[in-house]
Amino acid sequence: GEDVEQSLFLSVREGDSSVINCTYTDSSSTYLYWYKQEPGAGLQLLTYIFSNMDMKQDQRLTVLLNKKDKHLSLRIADTQTGDSAIYFCAESGDNYGQNFVFGPGTRLSVLP
Amino acid sequence: DSGVTQTPKHLITATGQRVTLRCSPRSGDLSVYWYQQSLDQGLQFLIHYYNGEERAKGNILERFSAQQFPDLHSELNLSSLELGDSALYFCASSVEATATAEAFFGQGTRLTVV
C-alpha cells in the first residue's frame, strides 16, 4: 500500500531555517500536504501542493516537490519558538481525501 | 475554541463493547472528517462526509462506521472494540468538500479500551 516516510526529529536554532523532508511511494498522489500539530491540539493545514507543481511559497513556508524522486520538503524560514510542533506530510489521490495517507510526523524543536 | 465540539472528551470501555463518538461541526460547515491518532498506528484518516454523503474513505475498519445526519452532526460508531482501538479520535469540519480547504479541528475524544 501507500507509504509516507519522514525523519522523526529535527532541532534548529531560533532564526535559522528548518527543512523537513518527506518521501512517498504512491505515484498516483495528486495532492501533497503539510500539517502542523501543536501539543494537545488537532491538525492545522499549513500548505499543500498539486502534483504538477515544483514549488510553492507562502510567506515563511516553501514547499519543494521532486515528483521523479517522490520527495517533498517543507522549508520554514526564520524559524521561531512558536514553530515548535509536529509536522505531518500527507498525500491523497484526489482533493476529497481519497487514499489519504499521513507520514509519521517530524517533531521540530526550536532552541532559543 | 475552533467551534467544533466532540463528545465525550474521554471514554473508557472494555474489549468487545461498542461506543459512539459524536462531532458537531462549526455552524455552516458541510464537511466532517474523522481521524484516528495512536502511538502504534500514527495518524490515520478514517472518513469524510459532505452534506450527509460519504465523500472519501480512508483506513476505516469494517468494525467502524460513520454517518452524517441532516443537522450535519456526525457520529463515529466503533464496535467489537479491541485494545488496539485505543486512540485519540479527532473530527474536523470545513465549509467546502475539498481536502485543501481550511478545516477546524475538535479537541478529540480519547478512547481507552481495557
Side-chain angles (χ1 to χ4, degrees), chain A residues 2 31 33 35 37 40-45 48 86 88 92 94-104, chain B residues 33 35 37 42-45 48 55-59 88 90 97-107:
Chain A
E2 303 89 352
Y31 288 86
Y33 312 81
Y35 287 84
Q37 185 178 34
L43 297 173
Q44 175 192 355
L45 177 63
Y48 64 92
I86 301 176
F88 292 92
S92 69
D94 67 17
N95 199 6
Y96 299 108
Q98 200 62 37
N99 300 325
F100 202 103
V101 178
F102 287 95
Chain B
Y33 301 81
Y35 302 87
Q37 187 169 31
L43 185 58
Q44 295 200 78
F45 161 69
H48 168 206
R55 270 302 174 102
K57 213 166 191 175
N59 289 331
L88 187 58
F90 285 109
T98 57
T100 52
E102 184 180 18
F104 296 83
F105 282 76
Q107 290 299 302

Side-chain angles (χ1 to χ4, degrees), chain B residues 38 50-51 65 76:
Chain B
S38 66
Y50 179 76
N51 203 20
S65 65
L76 179 67

Side-chain angles (χ1 to χ4, degrees), chain A residues 62-111:
Chain A
T62 303
V63 178
L64 294 178
L65 174 61
N66 181 328
K67 198 173 178 185
K68 175 174 166 289
D69 294 339
K70 300 191 184 71
H71 182 266
L72 183 74
S73 68
L74 174 69
R75 178 177 179 270
I76 305 173
D78 187 24
T79 313
Q80 303 297 308
T81 54
D83 295 323
S84 293
I86 301 176
Y87 290 81
F88 292 92
C89 167
E91 60 172 0
S92 69
D94 67 17
N95 199 6
Y96 299 108
Q98 200 62 37
N99 300 325
F100 202 103
V101 178
F102 287 95
T106 299
R107 184 178 294 276
L108 174 64
S109 299
V110 182
L111 308 173

